[in-house]
Amino acid sequence: MTESNKLQDNLHDTRNRAQLSLERFRHWATARPLAALALLLGAGMLCGAGLRSAVGLAQVEALQATNSEKQAELDRAKRDAQREVNALAARLAELQAQANRLNALGSRLTQTGQLEDGEFDFQRPVGQGGRGRSSDMPVGELKLRLSALEADYRQADTQLSVIESLLFNRQLDLRATPSRFPIAGSFITSGFGRRADPFGGGGEFHRGIDFEANAGDPVLAVADGVVSFAGVRNGYGNTIEIDHGNGYVTRYAHNSRLTHQVGDLVRTGQEIARAGSTGRSTGTHVHLEVWQDGVVVDPRRFLGHNDALARHGPTHG
């Protein structure tokens, strides 16, 4: 027998058994109509309950799935918001560091420019005011304000750096320009220009100015520079010269001894020699000359005119 015939026989048997079961149920229901009705009602209720349970379970599963999706969206929103806050916090930290740098630079410029009168106090909080009720600021507006603040800081940094460079160069120029007396607490005894020759009569051109001094008094550099000559010059005796690097050279003559040598870096007010009366001199004093671009000039142009210190006493060479 083939597989197809077997299948047909099984189907025929199943159909016969189903018809036989149906006939038996019909006879039983005819004999017991109330029981059959109760059985049918119970079966219907069970089917309805099962259907409702299935629908309820499906609805619960759908709600759970919806809640899971919403929770996932909420978690993503929280993570995105936290990343946004972290990014803003990083920018705020950069701005704070830049503000600290600008405050330090401003304080340094205040000291350099001698503006310490309280007007430029970079540590004092700035007063602010306003009116009306405040409202929440959107993130986009906050980012725009931060970007504008960053741009202002960059511009201020550039401007203050330029000012610092100019002030620094100005300070260098000032420190390298003859601006003080070579002897502390002294006075001028002989000026620059034509004068009577103290040795042979007649007149001569005096290339510098002379300062009263005692033997051994410290001779001080009148500006920053580098020693370009240290030795004996004809008529000047023990002489030291300082090149200030901006076209100026100063010469200090008639010293008893020199305390620096060629190549030494010296600062304004630093001792470079000891006063004496070597060379062509009638007594202890300090002779100062100032040369500008190879031409001797009157040192008073830089030292100023101070009548109390410019009292003329006996002339010295």
Side-chain angles (χ1 to χ4, degrees):
M1 182 180 292
T2 63
E3 292 293 332
S4 177
N5 291 335
K6 289 181 179 180
L7 181 60
Q8 289 178 357
D9 290 342
N10 290 335
L11 290 174
H12 182 71
D13 292 341
T14 302
R15 190 181 301 113
N16 289 336
R17 285 195 298 270
Q19 288 177 354
L20 181 59
S21 297
L22 184 59
E23 286 295 331
R24 289 176 180 174
F25 178 75
R26 187 182 296 116
H27 289 301
W28 178 82
T30 301
R32 298 176 179 85
L34 293 178
L37 179 59
L39 180 61
L40 290 174
L41 289 175
M45 292 176 65
L46 288 175
C47 290
L51 181 60
R52 286 194 300 271
S53 297
V55 172
L57 289 174
Q59 290 176 343
V60 169
E61 291 177 355
L63 288 175
Q64 289 177 342
T66 302
N67 288 337
S68 298
E69 292 177 359
K70 290 186 178 298
Q71 185 62 43
E73 292 178 0
L74 181 60
D75 292 339
R76 285 195 297 270
K78 287 183 177 179
R79 289 194 297 270
D80 292 342
Q82 188 59 52
R83 281 196 295 268
E84 196 84 20
V85 170
N86 292 341
L88 291 175
R91 292 182 67 182
L92 183 61
E94 293 176 358
L95 288 175
Q96 185 61 54
Q98 199 165 2
N100 291 338
R101 181 183 182 280
L102 290 177
N103 286 338
L105 180 56
S107 298
R108 190 161 63 248
L109 291 179
T110 299
Q111 296 175 357
T112 303
Q114 297 179 349
L115 303 174
E116 298 171 313
D117 56 358
E119 181 180 359
F120 298 94
D121 185 358
F122 287 87
Q123 304 301 323
R124 184 177 59 191
V126 178
Q128 299 184 21
R131 56 179 298 179
R133 293 187 304 174
S134 61
S135 58
D136 292 338
M137 180 182 292
V139 175
E141 182 181 352
L142 178 59
K143 289 182 178 180
L144 289 176
R145 289 180 180 271
L146 286 176
S147 298
L149 186 58
E150 286 176 335
D152 290 342
Y153 275 180
R154 285 194 297 269
Q155 183 178 7
D157 183 48
T158 300
Q159 292 173 344
L160 287 177
S161 297
V162 171
I163 294 174
E164 181 184 34
S165 178
L166 292 175
L167 285 176
F168 179 74
N169 291 335
R170 179 186 174 192
Q171 289 294 319
L172 287 180
D173 289 340
L174 288 175
R175 287 196 295 266
T177 301
S179 59
R180 62 160 296 152
F181 281 61
I183 291 288
S186 183
F187 56 88
I188 296 173
T189 58
S190 183
F192 176 86
R194 293 288 299 178
R195 68 170 185 177
D197 184 0
F199 288 95
E204 68 164 359
F205 185 84
H206 191 218
R207 292 184 172 184
I209 54 179
D210 296 337
F211 293 87
E212 175 67 24
N214 296 318
D217 283 349
V219 179
L220 311 175
V222 299
D224 292 355
V226 177
V227 177
S228 57
F229 178 85
V232 178
R233 281 194 182 277
N234 184 30
Y236 291 98
N238 294 327
T239 304
I240 187 167
E241 297 176 4
I242 300 174
D243 188 340
H244 303 286
N246 52 6
Y248 293 111
V249 174
T250 51
R251 176 180 294 168
Y252 312 77
H254 308 304
N255 303 290
S256 60
R257 66 185 181 91
L258 309 178
T259 57
H260 279 74
Q261 58 187 0
V262 173
D264 287 351
L265 174 66
V266 294
R267 299 294 185 185
T268 304
Q270 183 177 351
E271 179 187 317
I272 55 175
R274 289 299 178 100
S277 184
T278 59
R280 192 169 182 266
S281 171
T282 61
T284 301
H285 69 287
V286 175
H287 174 82
L288 172 68
E289 293 181 8
V290 176
W291 294 73
Q292 182 178 8
D293 297 323
V295 178
V296 67
V297 295
D298 187 351
R300 286 201 188 192
R301 288 172 47 185
F302 310 97
L303 305 181
H305 298 279
N306 189 322
D307 293 336
L309 293 178
R311 300 190 303 270
H312 287 273
T315 57
H316 296 290

